[in-house]
Amino acid sequence: MRHLTLFFTTFLLIAAVALGQSETKRYLYLSTPDGAQQEGRADGAGILIFDIDDGHKLVRRIDIPIFSEGLRGFTGNLKTHSVYYSTTNRRLGMFDLETEKIVWENTYDGGCDRSSITLDGKKVYAPTGWWYAGADAGFLVVNGETGELIKRLHVGPQAHNSIVSLDGKRVYLGTRTTLSIFDTATDQMIRQIKDVGERGIFPYTIKSNQKIGYVCLGNHVGFDVVDLEKGKALHRVFAGDEKIPHRTHGAGLTPDETELWISDQRGKKLFIFDATKMPPAPKGHVDLSQGGHGWVAFSLDGKYAWSHTPDVFDVKTKKLVATLRDENGKPVSGSKFIEVHFRDGKVVTMSNEFGLGRK
């Protein structure tokens, strides 16, 4: 399948050249300031755009003053060529990447944490926040075209990270120590998986077939391996020779699903595991230049690893290959970013802010 995908990608590139189409440009869009991280904050509020194919050099910045409230989520949608941002002040908004204008923006009684959106751009799922433990904690379901609140789904306390699956059929939500799975067509719950993540559902990732998930631990550097179909944890895996008593915040699968990377933000490391084995087996780590909120994601081609730091790693060699810097040469970072491809001024591809398996 990977060879076939490479063949068609090469064919399309050749065809584009033959037809005189412009080159596709790949960018990393980093939103700032991060509502959960002080380290590496860029000056100003908005989006920094980096050229992935030119050493991750800064192309320019887009000033968006309202971002000064602090970003809690930053998710994209190809159909609407927009990103949907959530802030510390319970604000959710839609920003069109082609016109570079805010389409709508609203504040709500609850939320908004790391939101996600259906593939058709019609529904945004906004968690009410890790800071909120009320009886009505869960999801705000918002009209993606207008920002109007459609309904609330009561799920559980500290609703935090959400992921719409790559096929668009399911949405996942982490609450205190529970991972809940919903049908996006009906908003009905499919199942809940309880007692995972030690003391809280921190960032997680899932395989593309949605059979296995990896949930970060809250008291140690490590993760739970979760059977998403049977609804139970299979293994608990710890990083290091001895248990490391730090919260894990950040887990990402390489697109080919051969490796799982997890963050030890206090220890300034990313630990790497062989995800072809069950349970995943340790392969080593890379050192980070700073601490921070914790995050791990990868470029769509699987070549680069990004985290909550300015460091850009080559996935194959595990070597530092670039540093994200602003126009003054200052290293900058955050944990809310997304890969966007443009051709002739139009968005043609967007990634997911989570490091999801794409095999």
Side-chain angles (χ1 to χ4, degrees):
M1 180 61 72
R2 290 175 59 194
H3 294 298
L4 186 61
T5 300
L6 180 61
F7 170 78
F8 278 115
T9 301
T10 304
F11 173 78
L12 290 173
L13 288 172
I14 294 172
V17 172
L19 292 171
Q21 293 181 2
S22 299
E23 178 186 5
T24 298
K25 298 293 293 182
R26 304 190 304 158
Y27 301 109
L28 180 66
Y29 275 58
L30 172 68
S31 63
T32 185
D34 193 314
Q37 175 172 317
Q38 294 293 329
E39 296 93 331
R41 276 191 173 188
D43 296 329
I47 300 172
L48 300 180
I49 305 173
F50 299 92
D51 190 329
I52 295 172
D53 296 313
D54 188 20
H56 285 80
K57 293 180 181 177
L58 179 71
V59 177
R60 61 189 176 91
R61 65 168 65 224
I62 303 172
D63 292 322
I64 309 175
I66 200 66
F67 281 19
S68 63
E69 293 181 349
L71 275 294
R72 289 289 172 181
F74 195 64
T75 191
N77 181 264
L78 179 60
K79 186 174 180 61
T80 64
H81 42 83
S82 297
V83 287
Y84 299 78
Y85 56 89
S86 49
T87 77
T88 298
N89 289 357
R90 306 188 313 278
R91 190 185 307 275
L92 185 68
M94 173 184 180
F95 182 81
D96 190 312
L97 294 179
E98 293 181 358
T99 65
E100 296 191 351
K101 296 182 182 300
I102 292 174
V103 180
W104 58 259
E105 186 180 83
N106 288 322
T107 56
Y108 305 85
D109 291 336
C112 301
D113 219 328
R114 270 195 190 265
S115 306
S116 55
I117 186 167
T118 53
L119 299 188
D120 60 11
K122 293 184 177 180
K123 287 193 293 188
V124 180
Y125 293 93
T128 50
W130 66 267
W131 54 85
Y132 183 64
D136 58 349
F139 268 135
L140 305 180
V141 184
V142 174
N143 186 313
E145 298 172 340
T146 66
E148 178 185 0
L149 178 64
I150 300 172
K151 67 178 80 169
R152 293 186 69 145
L153 302 178
H154 299 172
V155 186
Q158 298 178 315
H160 190 7
N161 295 298
S162 68
I163 299 174
V164 168
S165 60
L166 295 180
D167 65 7
K169 295 180 180 180
R170 295 182 177 182
V171 60
Y172 296 77
L173 176 65
T175 52
R176 185 169 288 154
T177 53
T178 301
L179 184 63
S180 301
I181 308 172
F182 291 82
D183 184 318
T184 56
T186 64
D187 293 332
Q188 296 299 307
M189 186 182 293
I190 296 172
R191 68 179 58 89
Q192 285 190 316
I193 306 167
K194 298 186 176 182
D195 301 322
V196 291
E198 285 188 314
R199 67 175 175 88
I201 291 287
F202 293 107
Y204 53 95
T205 185
I206 57 178
K207 297 185 70 171
S208 60
N209 62 12
Q210 300 180 70
K211 292 183 178 180
I212 295 293
Y214 304 91
V215 178
C216 292
L217 300 183
N219 292 324
H220 298 90
V221 180
F223 54 92
D224 282 334
V225 182
V226 179
D227 188 317
L228 299 175
E229 295 182 321
K230 295 181 180 179
K232 64 178 183 179
L234 302 176
H235 306 280
R236 179 161 288 178
V237 180
F238 297 96
D241 296 330
E242 297 182 0
K243 293 180 181 179
I244 304 170
H246 301 167
R247 177 189 74 164
T248 310
H249 199 287
L253 279 168
T254 52
D256 63 7
E257 300 183 0
T258 61
E259 292 182 347
L260 174 72
W261 294 39
I262 66 169
S263 169
D264 175 6
Q265 69 269 45
R266 281 186 59 192
K268 300 181 182 179
K269 290 180 174 64
L270 297 177
F271 285 93
I272 303 165
F273 293 82
D274 183 348
T276 67
K277 297 180 179 179
M278 185 57 72
K283 291 184 67 173
H285 74 271
V286 296
D287 293 313
L288 301 174
S289 61
Q290 66 173 50
H293 188 219
W295 203 254
V296 189
F298 301 91
S299 57
L300 285 169
D301 63 2
K303 184 175 181 179
Y304 299 112
W306 300 309
S307 68
H308 58 281
T309 75
D311 312 322
V312 179
F313 292 95
D314 182 294
V315 171
K316 183 177 181 180
T317 66
K318 311 299 186 287
K319 300 296 185 182
L320 180 71
V321 293
T323 299
L324 303 180
R325 299 180 184 274
D326 67 11
E327 58 268 46
N328 298 313
K330 173 188 173 183
V332 291
S333 61
S335 63
K336 281 79 178 178
F337 51 79
I338 193 167
E339 179 178 348
V340 184
H341 297 186
F342 275 86
R343 187 187 306 121
D344 296 324
K346 301 296 182 182
V347 177
V348 295
T349 305
M350 297 183 77
S351 73
N352 188 284
E353 67 275 24
F354 286 78
L356 301 179
R358 295 175 177 269
K359 186 175 178 180

